[in-house]
Structure formats: C-alpha cells, structure tokens
Amino acid sequence: MNNNKKKNKEEKILVTRSSMPSIEEYMEELRSVWDSRYLTNMGVKHEELKEALKAYLKVDNIELFTNGHNAIELSLQAFALKGEVITTPFTFASTTHAIVRCGLKPVFCDINPKDYTMDPGRIRELITDRTCAILPVHVYGNICRVDEIDRIAKEYGLKVIYDAAHAFGESLDGRGIGTFGDASCYSFHATKVFHTIEGGAVCFGNREKAFGEMLYLLKDFGISRENNVEAVGTNAKLNEFCAVMGLCNLRHIAEEIARRKKVSERYDRNLQGIPGLTLRKAQPGLTMNYGYYPILFNKEIFGLSRDEAAEILSANGIFARKYFYPTTNAFDCYRGIFDPAETPVAKQISEQVLTLPLFADLPLEEVDRICSIIINRG
Ligand SMILES: *Cc1c(COP(=O)(O)O)cnc(C)c1O
C-alpha cells in the first residue's frame, strides 16, 4: 500500500515541490539546538539566520517571523497606520487580508499588463486625505516600478511597504530588492524559492530603527525587555527548527536558483514565439530568482483558454495553478465591498494566466512533455 501511494504521488506533477537539504545536513545543524533545549524565542539559530540573510539579501536590517503574512500585518501595525492603503488586487489573499485585518481599507490600483505589478500611473488618482501607505507586490519576482512609486510616496508623505514574497534574493542593478520603500516583507513558506518550512521576514533601512524595535516587540506579545508590556502584540516568533531549515537551505540557494533557471529557460525555448501565448519578459537590470513560470493564454489566437489548458494538463497528471485567480477584490468574503470591475487589467490577466510547474528538480524532459501537451492540446 505504501508503495502504491508513493507511486501515485510520483506520477503527478504539482506546480511546486519544496527543496530540502539532506536529512543528515539538517540533523547536524539541529544537534546543538537539541542539546541546548532552547527551541524558540530568538535562539542561536534564529540569530545566525538573521545575519546570514542580511548578507545574502543585501539589506541593513531584518526581523524574522512565523510566516510572510504576519510580516505584512505586523509591518502595518508597527507603522501605526490608519485609513486607506493603495494596493493591488493581483496578489495572494495574504496581502489584502493583512490590510483588512489591521482595520485599514484597501484601495485597489490596477496593474500594468507588461509585468503585472501596480501601475504607478494610476496611483495619484486614488490618493485621498485618508491615504496612509502604498502596498505593492513584486509579482512572480517582477519588480515594481520602484522609482516612480517612491517619487509619489515622497510627494504625498506615504509609507511604502513592499510585499516581496516572490522576490527572495533578487536585486536591481546590484541593489537588494529589500532595500526599496520603507519596508519589504518576505515569505519563507515551503513553496517559495527559499523556505524555513513556514517563515517570513521584514527588511528595512537604518532610518527605520523605531519601526524595527516595534516589530520585535509585536512578534512577542509586545513584551519589552524590561518585562513591561508596551504594545498589543501577537505571537509571531520563528522557532529554531525552522531557522535551522533556513540555514541549510540558504547554503544551497545559488544551486537552487541555477536549476530553476534551467527549467525556466527550457520553457522559454519550447513556448516562445507561439501566437496567443504570452511569456514573462525579463526586466532590465533585474537578477531573477525564477520562482514562477506564468504564461497568458489568448483564446482567440491560441485556440485554448487558460481554463481549457489547465484542464488538459490536469487530465495528464500535471497540476498547474491559476495564480492569481480570482483577483483579491473578487473574493467571496469581499462581495459587495470591493468591485473587481474597477481593476479591469488585473481581472483580465487573472483570467488568462496559468503558472506552470517549476521547481529545482523538475526534469527537463518533463518540461518538454508539459509544453508538448499545451502545444498539441493533449
Ligand atoms: C506566500 C505569499 C504571502 C504569504 O506568505 P506566507 O508565508 O504564506 O504567510 C504573501 N504574499 C504573497 C504575494 C505570497 O506569495
């Protein structure tokens, strides 16, 4: 039975597959934690991971969290924001939910059809006297128009918090992505390019020292080092077992990204130039992490809609993902509150996009097979 189970699993190709160190490497890194019995609350491995990530991400400061979602929520809380936050509906549920759960109002800005990030040309018209911040997302690792967003934010005195969950390790003209805006939030979820099983981080500059101290308080119930409780915090501390996974995975990150690049380039080779399929375009100056492989299906030209393509793939045991679909402003829980028709570009892209399986050990022959199923409609 065990064998059968295993076999069935291997026949399917899921959109992603977590990268792992060898169990020996993990156990070796874990040994001192086991011996010390210090399992969480900013332990030795937590601190080691912080330092290692600071260097790798080329950022000044970093705080670690239980997950990327808490990183976003606690950033909003630590800046003590009130009012409206301009954001994108073309994202994972987390981004919008974080804003709402902090008692803030998301105001949705449409995206640009080239890289699916927030269209800065539409931000100004959404700014009111209640606007306090902009929360853009580096979608699929495509980097937002950081300069234009920065200019607008400065002009109106707004905070900029990037959802950088898709942008781990990326840099723009050599500058770490986490250094743009006032803060950048990363996710280290098991499905991401780099993971700590569950985990997340906020990166910020040296001028945001008070913000960093508040983040630290908030993730530990607001309990200050003097045994005072200074803020209404929560529990969002990254434990030592997760930090150890992070230390191991970070050792192999260059290889992880290189292998993803090979897979991604194989898709490019097979799919580019096919009328009706739109592939992502490289952005000038960007060092990519190859986290996702999104393609757009234009039914009129290609003959297959995104939904039809997804169905054909799944009939062949290949599970691509409609990511992001629907846009967050079309979620059931927001019905009657937000109107997806206000962001028509995001709506259209969300109906055309499919992210294809992409992980480091996806064999290139499987990439060829996936592409041939798409091209030959079965
Ligand atoms: C994964 C993800 C998050 C949430 O991160 P978790 O670690 O799963 O909480 C937020 N935003 C985006 C865009 C993501 O992809």
Side-chain angles (χ1 to χ4, degrees):
M1 189 199 156
N2 250 347
N3 267 346
N4 262 343
K5 245 191 184 163
K6 195 161 174 232
K7 195 160 174 269
N8 279 338
K9 251 197 184 147
E10 279 169 2
E11 280 166 2
K12 286 185 193 160
I13 296 180
L14 303 181
V15 70
T16 186
R17 188 162 182 246
S18 298
S19 293
M20 309 274 278
S22 73
I23 193 160
E24 290 77 20
E25 182 180 351
Y26 184 75
M27 296 306 279
E28 187 51 40
E29 189 70 42
L30 189 65
R31 191 169 300 279
S32 60
V33 175
W34 206 274
D35 294 340
S36 74
R37 304 208 178 192
Y38 195 104
L39 308 184
T40 185
N41 285 57
M42 287 63 95
V44 172
K45 297 299 176 183
H46 177 282
E47 296 305 300
E48 265 181 48
L49 181 61
K50 251 177 97 161
E51 290 312 308
L53 284 172
K54 248 200 302 200
Y56 183 75
L57 297 174
K58 296 183 269 194
V59 296
D60 292 329
N61 300 286
I62 188 166
E63 277 303 336
L64 305 181
F65 297 91
T66 40
N67 55 55
H69 180 81
N70 279 330
I72 302 174
E73 271 198 21
L74 295 183
S75 293
L76 293 168
Q77 195 186 345
F79 277 131
L81 297 175
K82 297 224 159 32
E84 297 173 0
V85 177
I86 296 174
T87 188
T88 168
F90 193 69
T91 184
F92 185 55
S94 172
T95 324
T96 302
H97 285 350
I99 296 169
V100 173
R101 288 170 57 83
C102 285
L104 297 155
K105 183 182 170 203
V107 173
F108 293 102
C109 179
D110 211 350
I111 59 174
N112 77 73
K114 278 209 185 108
D115 56 34
Y116 323 128
T117 66
M118 187 184 280
D119 181 354
R122 294 170 183 273
I123 294 177
R124 275 194 175 79
E125 65 202 55
L126 300 171
I127 295 176
T128 71
D129 54 4
R130 294 177 298 280
T131 308
C132 58
I134 307 175
L135 206 175
V137 181
H138 299 308
V139 181
Y140 309 131
N142 291 339
I143 295 313
C144 297
R145 313 289 163 88
V146 286
D147 291 341
E148 283 172 72
I149 291 170
D150 193 50
R151 202 175 314 129
I152 296 168
K154 287 225 167 75
E155 193 181 322
Y156 291 89
L158 307 174
K159 291 284 182 209
V160 180
I161 300 166
Y162 283 105
D163 180 336
H166 288 191
F168 183 84
E170 293 194 335
S171 53
L172 192 60
D173 299 320
R175 182 175 160 185
I177 284 307
T179 62
F180 292 99
D182 297 288
S184 292
C185 304
Y186 289 91
S187 163
F188 304 151
H189 184 256
T191 55
K192 302 292 196 309
V193 170
F194 165 80
H195 78 87
T196 59
I197 308 171
E198 292 266 10
V202 180
C203 299
F204 51 95
N206 286 330
R207 63 183 188 287
E208 300 294 349
K209 212 161 172 285
F211 168 74
E213 284 166 8
M214 184 52 81
L215 282 178
Y216 191 94
L217 277 182
L218 289 174
K219 73 172 164 185
D220 193 18
F221 304 102
I223 302 171
S224 71
R225 276 149 258 196
E226 297 81 33
N227 284 328
N228 290 325
V229 181
E230 288 182 29
V232 186
T234 184
N235 183 358
K237 305 182 297 290
L238 188 81
N239 70 58
E240 291 291 272
F241 284 62
C242 289
V244 163
M245 182 60 93
L247 284 168
C248 293
N249 282 336
L250 198 56
R251 241 175 245 143
H252 304 286
I253 190 70
E255 195 200 334
E256 166 76 23
I257 292 173
R259 291 170 72 194
R260 286 173 166 275
K261 180 171 189 229
K262 282 220 173 78
V263 173
S264 188
E265 286 173 348
R266 187 73 158 221
Y267 274 125
D268 286 344
R269 206 182 81 183
N270 289 335
L271 297 176
Q272 74 197 354
I274 296 178
L277 294 186
T278 306
L279 312 185
R280 81 187 279 186
K281 291 158 202 75
Q283 291 177 302
L286 175 69
T287 313
M288 296 208 300
N289 65 15
Y290 303 93
Y292 300 87
Y293 198 89
I295 57 171
L296 303 188
F297 289 82
N298 182 325
K299 184 174 162 89
E300 264 93 86
I301 301 171
F302 184 66
L304 271 191
S305 70
R306 183 276 309 272
D307 289 349
E308 289 163 344
E311 238 165 74
I312 291 172
L313 285 170
S314 91
N316 283 277
I318 295 153
F319 297 90
R321 191 166 166 208
K322 297 173 191 176
Y323 190 65
F324 304 109
Y325 173 80
T327 55
T328 64
N329 53 1
F331 284 175
D332 282 351
C333 59
Y334 295 132
R335 187 167 298 152
I337 301 171
F338 306 127
D339 181 5
E342 284 173 359
T343 51
V345 180
K347 182 171 188 294
Q348 193 192 340
I349 302 286
S350 79
E351 286 162 1
Q352 293 188 331
V353 74
L354 194 65
T355 56
L356 299 180
L358 173 55
F359 44 90
D361 48 14
L362 180 62
L364 298 181
E365 308 78 67
E366 290 297 333
V367 176
D368 293 346
R369 187 167 74 90
I370 293 166
C371 295
S372 121
I373 290 168
I374 294 171
I375 294 165
N376 303 313
R377 284 99 171 122

